[in-house]
């Protein structure tokens, strides 16, 4: 087999299931997603096709089956990674269960109830249903676009996944069962344990332990043992039987103290090393606590040689995995009506997976909004990966975003590297300063956004990615499109849900509430509000100032005041930062810096006292001054400066010179 084809009626489902297949089989075979709208141009002679449901076998699929299509019909199960919000619903809550067809809707209800989440009352909803109750909550399996408009809360538990039985069948068809049996079963055991550790009391009755754990236990190369609180053994597997020399009949129902007296650990995530028949084993206990009869302890046994083999991988993963807490909407401080409307709009956007374009001046909190949207979305438990286009050299953008294969270029690390889009899989990627992206990288971005697939540098394999895209810029992208600096097709792809952050000038009533927040933080609680340290004239000056640097500049000012204030003395207007007092030179500096950027001002300053400089000389200056600008980036700066009328470029030795307009701009600021 050369290809594994994922085929479903809809593109979204096909891509999501391809991502799951990629995680399991991507190392061994190329995986491609197809939907019924596509031209099915793959070679059936060298492809194994996974069908998302039996109902798909009709029309052109039926003709392929008749021609000898090698296919597997996937058994689909609830994706238990995303049901935590569902588990928090009170008992007897009534919800709409939303799916694309009547059959899959009722099937999903049956699976949720079979898992033990049967304390919720589900009402089916699908396109074309004759009648349904008007409810405030809807639960959907990856189809939020089908939820009725009047529903106030949407719980998206994600596309139903391919069950382990089907994955094992695929592995057998591909001749990979010996290589993948341990990976498949370990992955499912770990996910089940993670789920059981977080579910609430209502969900403690889930049948997920007895049904699914028993199904997969014998696929493990790691020995596994599951006991009740009283020590009675409920589940074991063949690997454990081989170590002990006992059959299942001699273990199940017995007490662990009789079978394995060596094991003494009874605490969650506690471990010990035991020796059983000359096998040195590392034993970890996973405690499942609650009030249900199936509560108890899961023991996982790992052979010492396997631990040594995986030590480097584990160390690398745990080093990289840092717990991050992202901003939420509760972290956005405001009292103005304008901000209230903006936050409500952003909350609405968070409930979807559509691309968001955030525009606004520097310092207005664009990344704060992006993180808050991520935290309020169904992807909140996934990664939030920020990318700043203004800080990545042009020649590294593709490898940073999409990754690279080993040996693809000089300096590539051994084993290759995942790109930022892959790092963001299952979560949100935040593309900041998108207006600074080169036209070449814009073209590549457009393809990724359309296809939701990435190709690493030096590879021919397409990797499906499931990411929510949020972009931000302080530029007017419509003007950039008109100037030819930004692709119009990319702009329309990004501008699906537009959000414009407000400058501090547009929300002046928030100046004091923000100032009080910052001054309290920077004084460690000694100063509760600005009225405590500023006289009336100083407070008036704060309100009347334009704040060209917005919230970031206000925060800096409060930090300054917290440092210079002394107990018992109020500060006057003359004690404020100079740029607030004069409202002129330094304010203009800040405004120019926000509008033009520090790189542009650096370029103009270098040209100010010269008769003309070429790109190579400017690049040398940048290197000597530790300015992170390459010759290519300087060329882009010069092109932009010329379009603004600040410089004039010539071929040959004369290079680039400052125009009268450029000289006037640079004369306003001291660099």
């Amino acid at each position: 087999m050369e290809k594994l084809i994922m085929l479903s009626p809809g593109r979204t489902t096909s891509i999501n299931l391809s991502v799951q297949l990629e995680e399991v089989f991507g190392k061994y075979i190329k995986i491609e997603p197809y939907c019924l709208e596509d031209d099915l141009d793959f070679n059936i002679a060298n492809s194994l096709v996974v069908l998302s449901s039996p109902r798909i076998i009709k029309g052109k699929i039926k003709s392929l089956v008749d021609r000898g299509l090698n296919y597997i019909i996937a058994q689909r199960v609830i994706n238990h990674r995303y049901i935590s919000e569902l588990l928090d619903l009170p008992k007897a809550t009534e919800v709409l269960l939303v799916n694309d067809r009547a059959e899959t809707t009722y099937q999903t209800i049956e699976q949720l109830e079979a898992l033990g989440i049967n304390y919720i009352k589900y009402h089916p909803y699908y396109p074309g249903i004759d009648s349904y109750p008007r409810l405030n909550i809807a639960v959907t399996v990856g189809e939020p676009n089908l939820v009725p408009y009047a529903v106030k809360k949407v719980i998206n538990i994600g596309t139903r996944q391919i069950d382990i039985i089907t994955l094992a069948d695929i592995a057998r068809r591909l001749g990979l069962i010996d290589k993948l049996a341990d990976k498949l079963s370990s992955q499912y055991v770990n996910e089940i344990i993670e789920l059981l550790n977080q579910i609430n009391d209502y969900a403690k009755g889930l049948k997920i332990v007895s049904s699914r754990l028993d199904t997969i236990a014998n696929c493990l190369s790691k020995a596994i043992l599951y006991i009740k609180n009283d020590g009675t053994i409920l589940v074991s597997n063949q690997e454990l039987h081989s170590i002990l020399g006992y059959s299942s009949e001699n273990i199940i129902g017995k007490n662990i103290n009789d079978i394995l007296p060596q094991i003494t650990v009874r605490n969650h995530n506690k471990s010990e090393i035991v020796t059983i028949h000359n096998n040195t084993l590392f034993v970890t206990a996973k405690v499942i606590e609650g009030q249900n009869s199936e509560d108890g302890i899961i023991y996982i046994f790992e052979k010492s040689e396997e631990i040594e083999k995986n030590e480097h991988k584990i160390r690398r993963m745990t080093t990289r995995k840092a717990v991050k807490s992202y901003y939420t909407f509760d972290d956005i401080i405001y009292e103005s009506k304008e901000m209230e409307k903006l936050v409500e709009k952003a909350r609405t956007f968070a409930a979807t997976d559509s691309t968001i374009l955030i525009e606004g001046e520097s310092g207005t909190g664009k990344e704060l909004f992006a993180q808050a949207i991520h935290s309020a979305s169904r992807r909140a438990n996934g990664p939030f990966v920020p990318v700043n286009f203004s800080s990545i050299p042009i020649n590294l953008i593709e490898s940073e975003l999409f990754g690279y294969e080993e040996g693809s270029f000089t300096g590539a690390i051994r084993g290759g590297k995942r790109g930022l889009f892959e790092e963001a899989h299952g979560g949100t990627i935040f593309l900041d300063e998108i207006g600074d992206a080169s036209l070449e990288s814009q073209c590549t971005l457009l393809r990724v956004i359309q296809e939701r697939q990435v190709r690493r540098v030096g590879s021919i394999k397409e990797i499906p990615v499931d990411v929510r895209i949020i972009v931000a810029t302080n530029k007017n992208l419509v003007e950039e499109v008109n100037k030819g600096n930004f692709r119009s097709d990319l702009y329309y792809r990004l501008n699906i849900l537009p959000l414009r952050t407000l400058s501090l000038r547009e929300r002046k009533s928030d100046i004091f509430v923000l100032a009080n927040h910052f001054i309290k933080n920077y004084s460690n609680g000694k100063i509760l509000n600005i009225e405590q340290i500023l006289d009336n004239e100083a407070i008036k000056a704060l309100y009347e100032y334009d704040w060209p640097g917005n919230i970031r500049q206000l925060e800096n000012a409060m930090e300054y005041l917290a440092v210079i204030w002394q107990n018992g003395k109020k500060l006057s207007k003359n004690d404020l930062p100079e740029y607030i007092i004069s409202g002129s030179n330094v304010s203009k500096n800040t405004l120019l810096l926000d509008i033009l950027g520090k790189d542009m001002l650096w370029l103009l300053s270098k040209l100010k006292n010269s008769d003309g400089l070429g790109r190579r000389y400017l690049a040398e200056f940048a290197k000597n001054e530790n300015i992170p600008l390459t010759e290519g980036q300087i060329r882009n700066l010069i092109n932009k400066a010329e379009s603004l009328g600040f410089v004039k470029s010539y071929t040959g030795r004369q290079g680039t010179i400052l125009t009268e307009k450029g000289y006037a701009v640079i004369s306003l600021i001291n660099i």
Side-chain angles (χ1 to χ4, degrees), residues 78 97 99 104-112 141 160:
I78 298 298
L97 196 291
N99 211 338
T104 55
T105 303
Y106 286 105
Q107 192 176 74
T108 301
I109 293 174
E110 289 176 4
Q111 290 184 349
L112 286 169
V141 281
R160 289 186 304 146

Side-chain angles (χ1 to χ4, degrees), residues 275-470:
T275 300
I276 303 174
H277 298 331
N278 296 322
N279 291 304
T280 302
L281 300 168
F282 187 76
V283 185
T284 303
K286 304 284 186 179
V287 176
I288 303 167
E289 298 175 342
Q291 301 172 354
N292 191 275
S293 60
E294 287 187 342
D295 298 333
I297 304 173
I298 295 176
Y299 291 102
I300 297 176
F301 302 73
E302 296 182 86
K303 295 179 180 178
S304 58
E305 57 266 30
E306 288 297 318
I307 295 174
E308 291 173 5
K309 188 173 86 172
N310 292 321
E311 181 182 2
H312 175 69
K313 179 180 178 182
I314 293 170
R315 187 176 297 171
R316 188 180 71 235
M317 290 174 64
T318 53
T319 299
R320 185 180 63 213
K321 188 176 181 180
V323 178
K324 291 187 176 181
S325 61
Y326 303 117
Y327 288 116
T328 70
F329 285 113
D330 292 337
D331 295 310
I332 300 177
I333 299 168
Y334 65 92
E335 62 179 21
S336 65
K337 292 293 184 183
E338 295 82 3
M339 278 297 295
E340 183 179 359
K341 292 178 182 177
L342 181 63
V343 169
E344 285 306 309
K345 187 176 184 181
R347 286 185 189 274
T348 303
F349 289 176
T352 76
D353 255 356
S354 301
T355 300
I356 297 175
L357 171 61
I358 304 177
E359 295 182 288
E361 297 178 10
S362 293
T364 53
K366 294 187 289 295
E367 182 166 355
L368 172 60
F369 267 92
Q371 288 192 23
I373 290 169
H374 169 78
S375 298
S377 73
R378 72 173 183 86
R379 299 174 178 270
N381 293 326
F384 176 88
V385 178
V387 183
N388 192 309
F389 278 88
S390 65
S391 63
I392 303 178
I394 292 176
N395 59 327
L396 294 181
I397 284 180
E398 191 170 354
S399 61
E400 286 292 315
L401 289 179
F402 313 125
Y404 55 80
E405 296 294 334
E406 180 176 349
S408 55
F409 56 85
T410 302
I413 63 174
R414 187 175 182 180
K417 180 184 176 183
R418 292 201 306 171
L420 295 173
F421 267 90
E422 286 184 73
E423 293 287 346
H425 178 70
T428 302
I429 190 165
F430 175 53
L431 306 178
D432 199 8
E433 305 295 355
I434 190 71
D436 291 334
S438 67
L439 289 172
E440 182 180 355
S441 61
Q442 289 175 34
C443 182
T444 310
L445 266 177
L446 179 64
R447 182 186 64 81
V448 172
I449 293 170
Q450 289 174 328
E451 304 297 331
R452 285 300 197 272
Q453 292 181 327
V454 297
R455 182 188 301 151
R456 294 182 180 179
V457 175
S459 174
I460 60 172
K461 185 172 73 171
E462 298 284 353
I463 302 172
V465 289
D466 173 25
V467 295
R468 202 270 178 82
I469 298 173
I470 302 177

